Amino acid sequence: MFKRLPGDEPHRIVSTTPDTAVVFKPAVVQTPAIITLIIFTARFVAALVRLIWRHPIALAVAAVPGALCFAYGWRVALLLITPVLAGLLAWAVLDRPTFARWVGWRLMAFARWFWIYRRHWQPVMTVSGLARRIRGREYVPRLVKVTCDSWADRVTVRMLDGQAVKEWTDKIENLSHGFGSESCRVSVAKAGRLVLTFPRRDPLATPIPALPVSDMPTVGPVEVGKQEDGSAWLLRVHGTHVLVAGATGAGKGSIIWSAVRGLLPAMRAGLVEVWALDPKLMELSYGKALFGGRYAADPADCADLLDEAVSVMQKRAARFAGAQRSHMPTLDHPFVLVVVDEVAFLTAYQSDKQLRQRISAALATLTTQGRGRLRRPGGSSGPAQGGHEHPQPLPGQDRPSARRVGAGGHGSRRRGERSRRAGRPDLSSS
């Protein structure tokens, strides 16, 4: 019934009964105990060195009191530690930002690394499908380090060899719920390493009030709101094109007016002119007095104003050709900011074909040869900002990036989170 097996195979056969499959015992290599001890000792020392290197403050907080108690007793340790604790408390009260940067966030990072991420790492990786089992051995992505700030935890991960970033972006819901966060962001640190961002709070949950207007006239980046991490959102309008898009009620107008409001000192100084196109008659009409007659609502008037902007741009280009590349605003040649509200109505939905062609040609000329336009498309969803050669309504979703929305309407950030999960590109940098 069985053929003769060559070599060393016959002595490995466990069962040869007709109703039982042939099972071969794997070859076992006996490792000397001393080598095993050396390997485990080396791993322990390496892990201890990494722990001390990444969390020196947390380990010092735990180790120094213990060492003092062991060497001198708890009374002496208490006498020595009390002044240090009083000094740290005074530091935290007098200069909270530096205390948080050097001590507070490091202690929090160690606590969350130990209690949340390290403790749940293997189960979350296995259940989400990011771990792999090959030939009976489980391979798990390595948790490299955890850092914290006032907004979120940032977890650095070393991927398994052969893994793609898309495998992680497809599992952001598993990761966020597995580690107790409402959302998760995936970014590439370098080849083979990712940074997982888990927000702990949402600074944009409550709409922010209007920001104070600076007394210094400038055309530099204008602060129009707050970013998702609580830092200032600086919108660059000079020397670039900006597209603001969003669903109805998302707060597109607040971004436009925040930018105009931030330029008020430069407008008073005569360094900035704002030309406004408002075919809807509902958004920019409140600022007619600010625009100095450069306001148009009728489509024909909008076409005339755009043609005038093209003429000014071309005359200025001829004036500075070969002498100056970057524009510096002056009283004779101020920075002209063209604000177009409901650009889709003028280009895509305009019934007059000749007007539509004039407006499209003027916008195309301004976007390819000039800089300094702020546009808001109509009938679109998907808040974003960036340059587009042909202003057309954007198809799609609520928002490419939650990172940059700070002046939007109530609920815009929550609605926009869906587009982040869908992997839309980030058009927020200008």
Side-chain angles (χ1 to χ4, degrees):
M1 181 177 179
F2 291 99
K3 294 182 179 180
R4 181 177 179 80
L5 298 176
D8 297 331
E9 299 298 331
H11 75 277
R12 295 187 182 180
I13 296 178
V14 176
S15 174
T16 58
T17 57
D19 58 343
T20 305
V22 177
V23 179
F24 294 93
K25 294 188 299 181
V28 177
V29 178
Q30 299 293 335
T31 304
I34 185 63
I35 295 179
T36 303
L37 291 176
I38 291 174
I39 293 174
F40 278 101
T41 302
R43 290 180 178 176
F44 175 78
V45 172
L48 183 61
V49 170
R50 284 197 302 268
L51 189 62
I52 295 174
W53 174 259
R54 291 170 183 163
H55 304 283
I57 302 297
L59 292 181
V61 169
V64 171
L68 291 176
C69 289
F70 180 78
Y72 304 106
W74 68 271
R75 292 182 177 85
V76 176
L78 184 61
L79 290 175
L80 294 176
I81 292 174
T82 300
V84 177
L85 293 178
L88 291 175
L89 181 61
W91 183 12
V93 172
L94 297 176
D95 194 353
R96 187 180 181 87
T98 59
F99 176 82
R101 182 169 67 251
W102 291 103
V103 179
W105 301 133
R106 298 190 181 196
L107 292 177
M108 177 178 285
F110 176 79
R112 294 185 68 82
W113 167 81
F114 179 80
W115 187 250
I116 295 179
Y117 299 106
R118 185 177 179 274
R119 190 162 66 100
H120 298 101
W121 188 254
Q122 185 172 2
V124 172
M125 293 296 106
T126 302
V127 173
S128 62
L130 294 172
R132 297 290 185 271
R133 180 173 292 276
I134 302 175
R135 296 180 181 178
R137 181 176 179 181
E138 187 176 41
Y139 295 86
V140 180
R142 187 159 67 89
L143 173 62
V144 178
K145 67 176 180 179
V146 177
T147 58
C148 294
D149 57 21
S150 60
W151 169 59
D153 300 336
R154 291 176 174 83
V155 181
T156 303
V157 180
R158 181 174 180 179
M159 296 189 296
L160 297 177
D161 293 342
Q163 273 190 330
V165 179
K166 188 177 184 302
E167 297 182 48
W168 290 78
T169 57
D170 290 342
K171 303 293 184 179
I172 57 175
E173 291 189 358
N174 305 68
L175 296 172
S176 60
H177 291 290
F179 294 117
S181 178
E182 291 186 357
S183 62
C184 173
R185 321 290 164 77
V186 180
S187 58
V188 179
K190 61 179 183 180
R193 292 202 177 188
L194 301 177
V195 176
L196 309 179
T197 302
F198 296 98
R200 297 191 310 274
R201 66 184 187 93
D202 184 7
L204 305 181
T206 303
I208 63 175
L211 300 173
V213 179
S214 173
D215 295 330
M216 181 66 66
T218 178
V219 295
V222 181
E223 184 175 359
V224 297
K226 298 296 182 182
Q227 299 191 50
E228 197 174 35
D229 59 358
S231 60
W233 174 16
L234 300 178
L235 179 64
R236 180 186 170 197
V237 292
H238 182 235
T240 187
H241 309 298
V242 179
L243 173 67
V244 180
T248 302
K252 302 181 292 296
S254 63
I255 297 179
I256 294 177
W257 282 114
S258 296
V260 173
R261 192 169 183 270
L263 293 172
L264 284 177
M267 294 171 65
R268 286 195 296 262
L271 299 177
V272 173
E273 293 181 0
V274 178
W275 297 17
L277 282 70
D278 187 23
K280 194 172 62 173
L281 288 170
M282 295 294 292
E283 188 64 47
L284 303 178
S285 58
Y286 298 99
K288 285 184 180 180
L290 297 175
F291 304 140
R294 304 293 187 177
Y295 173 85
D298 184 76
D301 295 337
C302 291
D304 293 338
L305 190 60
L306 287 174
D307 288 339
E308 185 178 355
V310 171
S311 176
V312 171
M313 176 192 68
Q314 292 175 342
K315 291 178 180 178
R316 186 174 294 181
R319 166 69 176 80
F320 294 105
Q324 181 178 332
R325 179 177 179 86
S326 299
H327 174 251
M328 297 297 295
T330 62
L331 294 178
D332 295 330
H333 301 282
F335 164 51
V336 177
L337 176 65
V338 181
V339 181
V340 185
D341 186 45
E342 301 295 339
V343 67
F345 172 78
L346 297 174
T347 57
Y349 308 136
Q350 176 56 240
S351 58
D352 191 320
K353 183 178 180 180
Q354 292 184 348
L355 279 180
R356 185 171 66 248
Q357 291 176 347
R358 283 182 60 196
I359 293 172
S360 298
L363 288 174
T365 304
L366 287 174
T367 53
T368 54
Q369 299 181 20
R371 297 180 179 182
R373 296 184 58 244
L374 183 62
R375 299 175 290 171
R376 190 179 88 161
S380 69
S381 58
Q385 60 187 45
H388 289 264
E389 182 176 353
H390 299 286
Q392 296 293 339
L394 298 176
Q397 300 159 346
D398 292 334
R399 190 183 59 180
S401 175
R403 179 175 59 89
R404 286 283 192 170
V405 172
H410 180 67
S412 61
R413 182 204 175 281
R414 184 179 63 255
R415 294 193 300 270
E417 180 63 23
R418 294 193 299 272
S419 66
R420 182 76 180 189
R421 296 177 180 176
R424 291 291 300 276
D426 187 355
L427 303 177
S428 60
S429 58
S430 356

